[in-house]
Amino acid sequence: MHYKDYYEVLGVPKSAAEKDVKSAYRKLARKWHPDANPANPKAAEERFKEISEAYEVLGDADKRRKYDALGSDWQSAAHQAEQQRRYRDTQAEEGRYAYSQGFGGGAPNGASGFSDFFDMFFSGIGRPRTAERPFAQRGGDLETTLELTLRDAFAGGSKAVPLQIEEPCPHCGGTGVLNNAICPVCHGTGRTITTKRFDVAIPKGVREGQRIRLAGQGAHGVGGGPAGDLYLVVHFSDDPTYTRKGDDLYIDLPVSIYALILGGDVRVPTMTGDVTMTVPTGTQGNKLLRLSGRGMPKIKGGGAGDQYVRLIGTFPTDLSDRERELFGELAALRSNDKP
């Protein structure tokens, strides 16, 4: 990342007063505005962007202090800032954390894309302050994964969720400068990653991949602008008992072969407690029986899905001599039956 001498860009000394910085900017901006250079608009556009970038920093007292504090340490600060940026990118790729800074607009006549140095240390906050482009900007939206259990989704309600969030550095107030030096905590970036707890309202019956929006809990705004939003993407851990398909639940229930052959009542676990289910006489193994309305709550329209019970026949493994004898008699009675 190339360090830019913004004082050199504007042609003013480091000790220049605010009015002198503004005067130099206005003079150069008029000279290099693309509209004033029809013979070579592309070169003028690049020069105009560079001038605008320099004034965005030197024309703002807080950013100028931060820029001056970097001094000879700018390369070290850049390395630390790049590490933080890579951390955020890695989190986004793994689906746990994603960040996007939603600043709109660009320089006049399509000029856009400020330098890496500017974006690294000043977060792209704002562009030259014109009537068409006010300084205040909305903060970016954040997105992260919300891990839930199936029972969380069934019950719904409030859930305390800890999340990693990028916020202005509390030591330097987001300026990147502390006591006229680079902030040792955020290394000049003005941002830190902290863990916050949110009380999240979980809708009953929420599904995999759905997004829950927490308004105003995203990245902080710039120049008095509002904060962005935080989006939680729902992901379910595997449930040891149930498999979910839409609003329906499926469960495998081991039962004795006697229950399948002779029929009778069996106890079946559901999300609201055990219920009694009647197994018809002569039921085949792997047969699916339905419990109406025992599935997941439906987000739209009310009601609930169904629960399907797969009957898995179990056989005794420690037969007594008498049991073997009886099974033999049963086998003999049906020896002439077709398989």
Side-chain angles (χ1 to χ4, degrees):
M1 182 179 64
H2 177 63
Y3 175 80
K4 285 197 172 186
D5 188 336
Y6 290 142
Y7 291 102
E8 182 178 333
V9 170
L10 295 184
V12 296
K14 191 172 183 179
S15 59
E18 182 180 350
K19 64 180 181 63
D20 295 328
V21 171
K22 181 181 293 187
S23 176
Y25 164 71
R26 288 178 173 175
K27 180 180 178 181
L28 290 171
R30 285 194 297 269
K31 177 181 179 182
W32 291 102
H33 195 285
D35 289 347
N37 293 270
N40 195 351
K42 185 172 181 61
E45 180 180 303
E46 293 301 318
R47 181 71 171 126
F48 183 86
K49 285 192 296 183
E50 188 177 48
I51 294 164
S52 298
E53 178 182 323
Y55 181 64
E56 177 64 20
V57 174
L58 301 186
D60 182 284
D62 289 337
K63 282 186 280 202
R64 185 175 178 179
R65 279 196 299 272
K66 179 178 179 179
Y67 176 78
D68 289 343
L70 291 173
S72 60
D73 292 332
W74 75 270
Q75 286 182 313
S76 174
H79 176 69
Q80 297 292 340
E82 179 62 20
Q83 285 184 324
Q84 287 198 16
R85 174 175 289 183
R86 288 178 179 176
Y87 170 80
R88 294 197 301 269
D89 291 344
T90 299
Q91 293 291 75
E93 290 172 3
E94 294 178 355
R96 294 191 301 269
Y97 177 90
Y99 173 81
S100 63
Q101 191 70 42
F103 299 114
N109 291 329
S112 61
F114 281 40
S115 74
D116 291 341
F117 179 82
F118 181 93
D119 287 334
M120 181 72 77
F121 290 105
F122 303 104
S123 302
I125 50 178
R127 293 296 185 247
R129 290 177 239 178
T130 67
E132 298 77 23
R133 192 175 299 107
F135 179 79
Q137 296 284 356
R138 178 183 181 275
D141 292 338
L142 304 179
E143 183 175 291
T144 190
T145 299
L146 176 61
E147 298 283 349
L148 295 178
T149 66
L150 199 58
R151 293 187 180 275
D152 290 333
F154 183 88
S158 180
K159 180 179 177 65
V161 179
L163 298 170
Q164 285 191 324
I165 299 296
E166 188 182 58
E167 293 189 312
C169 175
H171 293 267
C172 64
T175 65
V177 176
L178 186 66
N179 298 326
N180 294 320
I182 294 174
C183 176
V185 175
C186 67
H187 308 288
T189 65
R191 317 292 290 180
T192 58
I193 295 174
T194 60
T195 299
K196 292 180 64 177
R197 297 185 70 84
F198 295 89
D199 289 326
V200 180
I202 308 299
K204 286 187 176 182
V206 66
R207 295 188 179 188
E208 176 80 21
Q210 283 189 233
R211 299 203 308 169
I212 298 174
R213 175 174 170 262
L214 301 184
Q217 297 296 333
H220 289 261
V222 177
D229 298 331
L230 174 62
Y231 289 91
L232 308 179
V233 182
V234 174
H235 175 68
F236 289 104
S237 55
D238 291 336
D239 190 271
T241 304
Y242 301 98
T243 299
R244 181 180 185 179
K245 296 180 181 179
D247 294 321
D248 297 330
L249 294 176
Y250 289 77
I251 182 174
D252 289 343
L253 182 69
V255 296
S256 72
I257 58 170
Y258 308 113
L260 295 177
I261 296 171
L262 302 176
D265 292 339
V266 295
R267 299 293 291 173
V268 181
T270 72
M271 283 289 190
T272 56
D274 288 356
V275 298
T276 299
M277 184 180 70
T278 299
V279 178
T281 300
T283 298
Q284 294 294 314
N286 292 322
K287 174 77 173 179
L288 277 177
L289 300 182
R290 181 169 68 96
L291 293 175
S292 179
R294 293 289 182 172
M296 297 295 291
K298 295 182 178 180
I299 293 181
K300 296 181 180 180
D306 300 326
Q307 177 172 317
Y308 290 88
V309 182
R310 187 185 306 277
L311 301 176
I312 308 297
T314 60
F315 295 81
T317 58
D318 54 349
L319 295 176
S320 66
D321 292 341
R322 177 57 179 156
E323 285 175 321
R324 286 192 180 88
E325 181 181 340
L326 290 172
F327 272 112
E329 293 178 8
L330 288 172
L333 288 174
R334 303 184 69 88
S335 61
N336 293 327
D337 290 354
K338 294 180 179 180

